[in-house]
Amino acid sequence: MLLVYGPYLPVRILEEIRFWKQQESEHTDVIKAIVPGLEPGYVQLLDDWKIVLEETTHVANQLLKYALSSPEAACDPKLVQQTERLLDTAFRQSREFIRQLYYILEYSAAVKSVPLAKTVLLHIIRESEYFLGVLETLNSPGAIKRNMEELPAITDLQETTALPYQPFSIEEPFSNDSAASSSDEFDSTVQNSVFLSPVPDQSRKSGDGPVPIGGHTLPPLPYAYNALEPHIDEKTVRIHHDIHHKSYVDNLNKAEKKLQEARKSGNFDLVKHWERELAFNGAGHYLHTIYWDTMNPQGGGKPEGDLAEQIRRDFGSYDAFKNQFTNAADKVEGGGWAILVWSPRAHRLEILMAEKHQNLSQWDVVPLLPIDVWEHSYYLKHQNERAKYIANWWQVVYWPEVAERFAKASKLKWQPF
């Protein structure tokens, strides 16, 4: 998948490194949360790792910012060189991170005292191993350049010894000036820069017309942070809404602005990157907005009226629907969603799965009821037991909101094929 980007391969690799290191950084918090009595030495070790991983994420952002500043920058030989160095550092970090997690797993008495801790740590290790596997063919001297030139990637990789982890630093950081297309023009400004998302237009009110380009806003929760207790805990809701959902909003706005700039300039060299960002972050924002509204402290029970009848007609019974939805949600690979949708083309309800918000789903449908099964939705309370989270989620499903969405969506019917 990563080898089809041609001269813009460094952009895609930097995206992967950024997401990869963000995940590992979050996993240090997950481990401390599920093992509250973790020995102080291991706590300090995880805290040190978090600093290192956040620094690597920051460097990836710096390089990505430069790479997206102009078509010339995206192909700059020095960017390729820095991306290669960062990728190698990311590999060395993860290999050492994995080694030390195995050490904690074997020697921590606190971990051994928590029945589910072993399962969670092994899952976290597999997540890091996944990224190592995805990028393995590109982590060798000159591999990025060869693939940018559409030459066959080498498969005989040199084995590198895992070094002690250390923060990555740029010795010759790129200039922040997008006009500096020459690979010789470097200065120290990027090293001190911050990768910022555009500030959305907070003046827009609901019902004031279409959302301006780059003007999406984080919707307020329709209830208090602790309102879904004990089924979904307050800390998870705060982090999930205020941090994760907001990041989708910010990055959606950025993608829209960048595509607007491309339309004005006529330069669509990076359209693949920004369309991907538009799809991923837009899907994340829209599904989360439905997700919050379709939960409520007064939720639970079963649907009534037309929605209940449609569920019976399309799935045979409510229990059959619930059983299929629960299993679909439990079996989404990686992070993603299970979603009840109305199909205007088929004139019936369907249950879909989506990985990374937008993958494995269908077009021409209207989402009615989504459940978020990304790990940040349940790990603090339920650790790796997604099934328990799903069971608790059913207790807060707000069927009146789902029914209202269905009443509007079901009026939309296209000619069936």
Side-chain angles (χ1 to χ4, degrees), residues 98-145:
I98 290 169
R99 188 189 71 80
Q100 294 188 15
L101 290 184
Y102 274 123
Y103 186 92
I104 293 174
L105 193 59
E106 182 175 358
Y107 293 105
S108 169
V111 167
K112 294 180 187 298
S113 69
V114 178
L116 293 174
K118 180 179 179 179
T119 302
V120 175
L121 260 72
L122 288 175
H123 173 81
I124 288 172
I125 289 169
R126 284 195 299 271
E127 286 283 300
S128 291
E129 290 173 338
Y130 164 80
F131 285 103
L132 292 174
V134 167
L135 294 165
E136 182 179 16
T137 56
L138 294 172
N139 186 39
S140 65
I144 297 176
K145 184 175 184 295

Side-chain angles (χ1 to χ4, degrees), residues 48-120:
D48 290 344
W49 267 114
K50 187 174 180 66
I51 294 171
V52 169
L53 296 167
E54 287 179 345
E55 174 65 18
T56 308
T57 303
H58 177 64
V59 173
N61 274 333
Q62 291 176 321
L63 293 175
L64 189 57
K65 183 175 182 180
Y66 171 77
L68 298 175
S69 64
S70 71
E72 295 81 9
C75 308
D76 191 320
K78 288 192 176 180
L79 173 72
V80 177
Q81 183 184 55
Q82 294 283 27
T83 302
E84 184 177 281
R85 289 183 55 220
L86 182 61
L87 181 61
D88 181 64
T89 298
F91 260 73
R92 292 166 183 262
Q93 284 177 355
S94 287
R95 286 169 177 159
E96 182 64 15
F97 185 53
I98 290 169
R99 188 189 71 80
Q100 294 188 15
L101 290 184
Y102 274 123
Y103 186 92
I104 293 174
L105 193 59
E106 182 175 358
Y107 293 105
S108 169
V111 167
K112 294 180 187 298
S113 69
V114 178
L116 293 174
K118 180 179 179 179
T119 302
V120 175

Side-chain angles (χ1 to χ4, degrees), residues 38 56 103 141 176 178-179 184 215 229 236 268 292 308 312 341 344 347 354 356 377 388 402 412:
L38 189 64
T56 308
Y103 186 92
N176 238 352
S178 62
D184 295 327
E229 295 269 14
T236 294
F268 291 99
W292 301 123
R312 186 199 63 76
V341 304
H347 300 186
K356 289 187 176 180
S377 304
K388 287 188 176 180
V402 184
L412 182 62

Side-chain angles (χ1 to χ4, degrees), residues 123-326:
H123 173 81
I124 288 172
I125 289 169
R126 284 195 299 271
E127 286 283 300
S128 291
E129 290 173 338
Y130 164 80
F131 285 103
L132 292 174
V134 167
L135 294 165
E136 182 179 16
T137 56
L138 294 172
N139 186 39
S140 65
I144 297 176
K145 184 175 184 295
R146 282 191 291 274
N147 281 283
M148 290 172 65
E149 296 170 347
E150 299 184 346
L151 294 175
I154 66 169
T155 56
D156 185 19
L157 299 179
Q158 295 180 347
E159 196 67 33
T160 49
T161 304
L163 298 182
Y165 67 90
Q166 56 184 335
F168 185 86
S169 61
I170 300 181
E171 296 174 0
E172 294 180 284
F174 289 101
S175 169
N176 238 352
D177 186 356
S178 62
S181 59
S182 170
S183 62
D184 295 327
E185 296 187 34
F186 292 90
D187 60 30
S188 61
T189 56
V190 169
Q191 186 135 10
N192 299 317
S193 68
V194 179
F195 191 71
L196 297 176
S197 297
V199 178
D201 179 7
Q202 299 290 349
S203 62
R204 185 181 60 83
K205 303 298 182 181
S206 178
D208 285 350
V211 177
I213 293 173
H216 296 277
T217 58
L218 179 68
L221 280 175
Y223 34 74
Y225 289 107
N226 64 352
L228 303 180
E229 295 269 14
H231 309 294
I232 299 179
D233 59 292
E234 176 182 353
K235 186 176 182 181
T236 294
V237 173
R238 284 186 181 275
I239 295 173
H240 195 172
H241 176 268
D242 294 0
I243 297 177
H244 290 288
H245 188 172
K246 186 178 184 301
S247 72
Y248 296 125
V249 175
D250 292 342
N251 289 317
L252 171 60
N253 286 330
K254 179 163 188 157
E256 289 186 346
K257 292 275 193 178
K258 289 296 184 181
L259 287 169
Q260 183 184 50
E261 291 174 10
R263 290 191 294 273
K264 290 178 179 178
S265 67
N267 183 347
F268 291 99
D269 287 345
L270 294 176
V271 67
K272 182 181 290 187
H273 167 75
W274 291 118
E275 290 286 2
R276 178 180 175 275
E277 291 287 290
L278 185 74
F280 178 76
N281 291 292
H285 171 45
Y286 298 143
L287 283 175
H288 275 96
T289 300
I290 303 171
Y291 174 71
W292 301 123
D293 285 343
T294 52
M295 295 187 293
N296 193 279
Q298 304 303 317
K302 296 181 179 181
E304 299 176 350
D306 292 342
L307 176 59
E309 176 58 27
Q310 190 74 45
I311 288 175
R312 186 199 63 76
R313 185 181 304 128
D314 294 338
F315 297 100
S317 67
Y318 172 77
D319 289 340
F321 151 74
K322 183 178 179 181
N323 190 28
Q324 180 182 337
F325 192 102
T326 297

Side-chain angles (χ1 to χ4, degrees), residues 286-287 290 339-354 357-358 360-369 405 408-410 412-414:
Y286 298 143
L287 283 175
I290 303 171
I339 314 168
L340 175 67
V341 304
W342 169 255
S343 171
R345 189 69 65 187
H347 300 186
R348 52 185 163 81
L349 298 168
E350 294 279 10
I351 296 170
L352 302 177
M353 293 192 300
H357 308 313
Q358 75 276 29
L360 299 183
S361 196
Q362 295 177 353
W363 299 111
D364 205 18
V365 299
V366 181
L368 303 179
L369 175 65
R405 293 183 62 83
K408 295 177 179 178
S410 61
L412 182 62
K413 294 183 179 179
W414 308 125

